[in-house]
Amino acid sequence: MFESKRWTLKNIDGPSPFELAMMVLSLVSVVIVLTITFGRLDTETNKVLLYIDSSICMIFLSKFFYGLFKARNKTYYLRHHWIDFVASIPAIEALRFARIFQILRVIRLIRMSRSLLIPLLRQRKQTTLASLLVAMVLILATASVLILLVESAEPNANIQTAEQAIWWALVTISTVGYGDFYPVSTIGHVIGGLVIISGVSFFGVISGYMASVFVAPDETERQEEQDAKEAHKEQINSKLEAALEQMQQNQLQMEQNQQEMLTEITKLRLQLDKP
């Protein structure tokens, strides 16, 4: 007898959403280091890229120490993730290329997994949070670099330094709009409009995520509820099986008693028929 194997969302392994997010940020960091090393950019643009790379390093270090704190065997964790820590040290560009090993590790997980979409759908909240993290870094990085490149060529521009470009991108994406720094060129206005639209969408997704966290049931709660229902169903089935078995035993007992009564009646008739 062959049992049919049921494939569910739980028995399909694959990279987690945060592992994919770290892979994307690792790619961005490697590209930034290559741009700084081989690109012919001005000092302020290089400074923006260094700020972005340092921010990515802080994200990697936070993830490393969080994983170390949560790990049961910290020695095993350090032995298998020490290169992640080395590659996350800020201000040492040569160590950034060590993140290629992290990228290769995630790519290997992707190749070994049967599906990439199913693990993401299984952990929707983590996928949303990881996507927001990657989107925030990419939007801030792209907006800061582009606005600095565009506005540096304008004589009346007030965005001239790396700090001003990052501050403008942060204020614009948050849709606060202090007005202390603003683009003056047409291309700068287009970039600002795109950043504002991205910011509105970004915080709209954050609002939906926070609502789902406090309103929608958690995956663990849903699983516990499903397990409780299955346990209750199994309990009812076991009770029904026990009741059916008891009914069958009672029926057999009744048939046996009936047979004994017929035997006794037959004996009595035989005795009465004797002369």
Side-chain angles (χ1 to χ4, degrees), residues 165-181:
I166 294 175
W167 173 250
W168 172 85
L170 183 62
V171 169
T172 305
I173 195 176
S174 63
T175 66
V176 174
Y178 282 113
D180 48 355
F181 297 103

Side-chain angles (χ1 to χ4, degrees), residues 133-148:
L133 178 63
V134 174
M136 181 182 67
V137 173
L138 292 180
I139 293 174
L140 288 176
T142 306
S144 302
V145 173
L146 289 180
I147 201 66
L148 189 60

Side-chain angles (χ1 to χ4, degrees), residues 32 36 45-55 91 93:
I32 289 175
I36 294 174
T45 304
N46 284 333
K47 191 185 294 185
V48 170
L49 295 176
L50 285 175
Y51 285 152
I52 295 169
D53 184 68
S54 299
S55 301
E93 290 78 8

Side-chain angles (χ1 to χ4, degrees), residues 25-41 45-46 49-50 52-53 56 92-100 103:
L25 293 180
S26 298
L27 287 172
V28 173
S29 178
V30 172
V31 171
I32 289 175
V33 173
L34 291 175
T35 304
I36 294 174
T37 305
F38 301 103
R40 297 180 179 179
L41 301 175
T45 304
N46 284 333
L49 295 176
L50 285 175
I52 295 169
D53 184 68
I56 295 176
I92 304 179
E93 290 78 8
L95 297 179
R96 300 296 182 272
F97 294 101
R99 293 178 189 160
I100 296 176
I103 297 172

